[in-house]
Coordinates of all heavy atoms in Angstrom, one line a residue:
G1 N 192.0 169.0 65.8 CA 190.9 169.9 66.1 C 190.3 169.8 67.5 O 190.1 170.7 68.2
R2 N 190.1 168.5 67.9 CA 189.6 168.3 69.2 C 190.6 167.7 70.2 O 190.6 167.9 71.4 CB 188.3 167.3 69.1 CG 187.1 167.9 68.5 CD 186.0 167.0 68.6 NE 185.7 166.6 69.9 CZ 185.2 165.4 70.4 NH1 185.1 164.4 69.5 NH2 185.0 165.2 71.6
F3 N 191.4 166.8 69.6 CA 192.4 166.1 70.5 C 193.8 166.3 69.9 O 194.0 166.3 68.7 CB 192.1 164.6 70.6 CG 190.9 164.3 71.4 CD1 189.6 164.3 70.9 CD2 191.0 164.1 72.8 CE1 188.5 164.0 71.7 CE2 189.9 163.8 73.6 CZ 188.7 163.8 73.0
A4 N 194.8 166.3 70.8 CA 196.2 166.2 70.4 C 196.6 164.7 70.6 O 196.3 164.2 71.7 CB 197.1 167.1 71.1
T5 N 197.3 164.2 69.6 CA 197.9 162.8 69.8 C 199.4 162.9 70.0 O 200.1 163.3 69.1 CB 197.5 162.0 68.5 OG1 196.1 161.9 68.3 CG2 198.1 160.5 68.7
F6 N 199.8 162.4 71.2 CA 201.2 162.4 71.5 C 201.8 161.0 71.2 O 201.1 160.0 71.4 CB 201.4 162.7 73.0 CG 201.1 164.1 73.3 CD1 199.8 164.5 73.7 CD2 202.1 165.1 73.3 CE1 199.5 165.8 74.0 CE2 201.8 166.4 73.6 CZ 200.5 166.8 73.9
T7 N 203.0 161.0 70.8 CA 203.7 159.8 70.3 C 205.0 159.6 71.0 O 205.8 160.5 71.1 CB 203.9 159.8 68.8 OG1 202.7 160.0 68.1 CG2 204.5 158.5 68.3
V8 N 205.2 158.3 71.4 CA 206.5 157.9 71.9 C 206.9 156.7 71.1 O 206.4 155.6 71.3 CB 206.5 157.5 73.4 CG1 207.9 157.1 73.9 CG2 206.0 158.7 74.3
A9 N 207.8 156.9 70.1 CA 208.2 155.8 69.2 C 209.6 155.4 69.4 O 210.5 156.3 69.4 CB 207.9 156.3 67.7
D10 N 209.9 154.1 69.4 CA 211.3 153.6 69.6 C 211.6 152.6 68.5 O 210.7 152.0 67.9 CB 211.5 153.0 71.0 CG 210.7 151.7 71.2 OD1 211.0 150.7 70.5 OD2 209.9 151.7 72.1
T11 N 212.9 152.4 68.3 CA 213.4 151.4 67.3 C 213.9 150.2 68.0 O 214.7 149.5 67.5 CB 214.5 152.0 66.5 OG1 215.6 152.4 67.4 CG2 214.1 153.3 65.8
G12 N 213.3 149.9 69.2 CA 213.7 148.7 70.0 C 213.3 147.4 69.4 O 212.8 147.3 68.3
P13 N 213.4 146.3 70.2 CA 213.1 145.0 69.7 C 211.6 144.7 69.4 O 211.3 143.7 68.8 CB 213.6 144.1 70.9 CG 213.5 145.0 72.1 CD 213.8 146.3 71.6
G14 N 210.7 145.6 69.9 CA 209.3 145.3 69.6 C 208.6 144.4 70.6 O 209.3 143.8 71.4
I15 N 207.3 144.2 70.4 CA 206.5 143.4 71.3 C 205.8 142.4 70.5 O 205.2 142.7 69.4 CB 205.5 144.3 72.1 CG1 206.2 145.3 72.9 CG2 204.6 143.4 73.0 CD1 205.3 146.4 73.5
A16 N 205.7 141.1 70.9 CA 205.1 140.1 70.2 C 203.6 140.4 70.1 O 203.0 141.0 71.0 CB 205.2 138.7 70.9
E17 N 203.0 140.0 69.0 CA 201.6 140.3 68.7 C 200.6 139.8 69.8 O 199.7 140.5 70.2 CB 201.2 139.8 67.3 CG 199.8 140.2 66.9 CD 199.4 139.7 65.5 OE1 200.3 139.1 64.9 OE2 198.3 139.9 65.1
D18 N 200.9 138.6 70.3 CA 200.0 138.0 71.3 C 200.1 138.7 72.6 O 199.2 138.5 73.5 CB 200.3 136.5 71.4 CG 201.7 136.2 71.9 OD1 202.5 137.1 71.8 OD2 201.9 135.1 72.4
A19 N 201.1 139.5 72.8 CA 201.3 140.2 74.1 C 200.7 141.6 74.1 O 200.4 142.1 75.1 CB 202.8 140.3 74.4
L20 N 200.4 142.2 72.9 CA 199.9 143.5 72.8 C 198.6 143.7 73.6 O 198.4 144.8 74.2 CB 199.7 143.9 71.3 CG 201.0 144.2 70.6 CD1 200.7 144.5 69.1 CD2 201.7 145.4 71.2
P21 N 197.6 142.8 73.6 CA 196.4 143.0 74.3 C 196.6 143.1 75.9 O 195.7 143.5 76.6 CB 195.5 141.8 73.9 CG 196.1 141.3 72.7 CD 197.6 141.6 72.8
L22 N 197.8 142.6 76.3 CA 198.0 142.5 77.7 C 198.9 143.6 78.4 O 199.0 143.7 79.6 CB 198.8 141.2 78.0 CG 198.1 139.9 77.5 CD1 199.1 138.7 77.7 CD2 196.8 139.7 78.1
V23 N 199.5 144.5 77.5 CA 200.5 145.4 78.0 C 199.9 146.4 79.0 O 200.7 147.0 79.8 CB 201.2 146.2 76.9 CG1 202.0 145.2 76.0 CG2 200.2 146.9 76.0
F24 N 198.6 146.7 79.0 CA 198.1 147.7 79.9 C 197.5 147.1 81.1 O 196.8 147.8 81.9 CB 197.0 148.6 79.2 CG 197.6 149.5 78.1 CD1 197.4 149.2 76.8 CD2 198.4 150.6 78.5 CE1 198.0 150.0 75.8 CE2 198.9 151.4 77.5 CZ 198.7 151.1 76.2
E25 N 197.6 145.8 81.3 CA 197.1 145.1 82.5 C 198.1 145.3 83.7 O 199.3 145.3 83.5 CB 196.9 143.6 82.2 CG 195.8 143.3 81.2 CD 195.5 141.9 81.1 OE1 196.1 141.1 81.9 OE2 194.7 141.5 80.2
A26 N 197.5 145.5 84.8 CA 198.4 145.6 86.0 C 199.2 144.4 86.3 O 198.7 143.2 86.1 CB 197.5 145.9 87.3
Y27 N 200.5 144.6 86.6 CA 201.5 143.5 86.9 C 201.9 142.7 85.7 O 202.8 141.9 85.9 CB 200.9 142.6 88.0 CG 200.4 143.2 89.2 CD1 199.1 143.2 89.6 CD2 201.3 143.9 90.0 CE1 198.7 143.8 90.8 CE2 200.9 144.5 91.2 CZ 199.6 144.5 91.6 OH 199.1 145.1 92.7
W28 N 201.4 143.0 84.5 CA 201.8 142.1 83.4 C 203.3 142.1 83.1 O 203.9 141.1 83.0 CB 201.0 142.5 82.1 CG 201.5 141.7 81.0 CD1 201.1 140.4 80.6 CD2 202.4 142.0 80.0 NE1 201.7 139.9 79.5 CE2 202.6 140.9 79.1 CE3 203.2 143.2 79.7 CZ2 203.5 141.0 78.0 CZ3 204.1 143.2 78.7 CH2 204.2 142.1 77.8
S29 N 203.9 143.3 83.1 CA 205.3 143.4 82.7 C 206.1 142.7 83.8 O 207.1 142.0 83.5 CB 205.7 144.9 82.6 OG 207.1 144.9 82.3
G30 N 205.7 142.9 85.1 CA 206.5 142.3 86.2 C 206.5 140.8 86.1 O 207.4 140.1 86.4
A31 N 205.4 140.2 85.6 CA 205.3 138.8 85.5 C 206.0 138.2 84.3 O 206.7 137.2 84.4 CB 203.8 138.3 85.4
R32 N 206.0 139.0 83.2 CA 206.7 138.5 82.0 C 208.1 138.9 81.8 O 208.9 138.3 81.1 CB 205.9 139.0 80.7 CG 204.5 138.4 80.6 CD 204.6 136.9 80.1 NE 205.2 136.9 78.8 CZ 204.5 137.0 77.7 NH1 203.2 137.1 77.7 NH2 205.1 136.9 76.5
H33 N 208.5 140.0 82.5 CA 209.9 140.5 82.3 C 210.5 140.8 83.7 O 210.6 141.9 84.1 CB 209.9 141.8 81.5 CG 209.2 141.6 80.1 ND1 209.8 140.9 79.1 CD2 208.1 142.0 79.6 CE1 209.1 140.9 78.0 NE2 208.0 141.6 78.3
A34 N 210.9 139.7 84.4 CA 211.4 139.9 85.7 C 212.6 140.8 85.7 O 213.5 140.8 84.9 CB 211.8 138.5 86.2
G35 N 212.5 141.7 86.7 CA 213.6 142.7 86.9 C 213.4 143.9 86.1 O 214.2 144.9 86.2
H36 N 212.4 144.0 85.3 CA 212.2 145.2 84.5 C 211.1 146.2 85.1 O 210.7 147.1 84.5 CB 211.8 144.9 83.0 CG 212.9 144.4 82.2 ND1 213.9 145.3 81.7 CD2 213.3 143.2 81.8 CE1 214.8 144.6 81.0 NE2 214.5 143.3 81.1
G37 N 210.6 145.9 86.2 CA 209.6 146.8 86.9 C 208.5 146.0 87.5 O 208.5 144.7 87.5
T38 N 207.5 146.7 88.0 CA 206.4 146.1 88.7 C 205.2 145.8 87.7 O 204.3 145.0 88.1 CB 205.8 147.1 89.7 OG1 205.3 148.2 89.1 CG2 206.9 147.5 90.7
G39 N 205.2 146.3 86.5 CA 204.1 146.1 85.6 C 203.0 147.0 85.8 O 201.9 146.8 85.3
L40 N 203.1 148.1 86.6 CA 202.0 149.0 86.9 C 202.1 150.3 86.0 O 201.2 151.0 85.9 CB 202.0 149.4 88.4 CG 201.6 148.4 89.3 CD1 201.7 148.9 90.8 CD2 200.1 147.9 89.0
G41 N 203.3 150.5 85.4 CA 203.5 151.7 84.7 C 202.5 152.0 83.6 O 201.9 153.1 83.6
L42 N 202.3 151.1 82.7 CA 201.4 151.3 81.6 C 199.9 151.3 82.0 O 199.1 151.9 81.5 CB 201.6 150.3 80.5 CG 202.9 150.5 79.7 CD1 203.1 149.5 78.6 CD2 203.0 151.9 79.1

């Protein structure tokens, strides 16, 4: 009614529970997953 919720769902390997609070931090992915990007996307 007020908001539309968009979903991007995958069947991939998943993310560890202790990492979930960090995924939207700048540079996090770049630090934890070398070669997979800069960590700025999310």
Side-chain angles (χ1 to χ4, degrees):
R2 291 185 58 215
F3 288 88
T5 300
F6 291 87
T7 303
V8 179
D10 69 63
T11 61
I15 302 170
E17 185 177 358
D18 63 342
L20 287 175
L22 306 174
V23 295
F24 292 107
E25 292 185 6
Y27 304 116
W28 176 80
S29 179
R32 290 286 298 272
H33 303 289
H36 284 286
T38 63
L40 288 177
L42 291 181

